């Protein structure tokens, strides 16, 4: 009986530890806000440039 309680406590401890680690590392790989803003501006500029190509019949320069 004591062995079963001990095993259950170890399993619960491992689950809680894993959840805390996951919570702490949620945004670990995310770039900063300035990097995201620069990427958005580049994407908008690329789309605008691609739109200009479509107006000329889709020809590449």
């Amino acid at each position: 009986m004591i062995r079963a309680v001990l095993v259950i406590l170890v399993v619960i401890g491992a689950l809680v530890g894993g959840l805390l680690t996951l919570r702490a590392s949620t945004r670990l790989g995310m770039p900063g806000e300035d990097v995201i803003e620069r990427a958005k501006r580049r994407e908008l500029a690329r789309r605008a440039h691609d739109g200009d190509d479509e107006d000329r019949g889709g020809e590449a320069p």
Side-chain angles (χ1 to χ4, degrees):
M1 177 71 178
I2 292 176
R3 180 181 258 174
V5 171
L6 186 60
V7 168
I8 290 171
L9 287 176
V10 168
V11 169
I12 290 174
L15 287 174
V16 169
L19 288 174
L20 289 175
T21 302
L22 184 64
R23 181 175 175 255
S25 65
T26 299
R27 295 181 58 95
L28 190 62
M30 289 292 291
E33 288 294 321
D34 58 329
V35 175
I36 293 173
E37 286 300 318
R38 283 196 313 262
K40 286 180 183 177
R41 283 187 297 227
R42 281 194 309 266
E43 177 64 18
L44 288 174
R46 186 191 62 79
R47 286 186 182 190
H49 179 71
D50 288 349
D52 291 344
D53 290 344
E54 289 175 7
D55 292 341
R56 289 183 276 157
E59 297 175 8

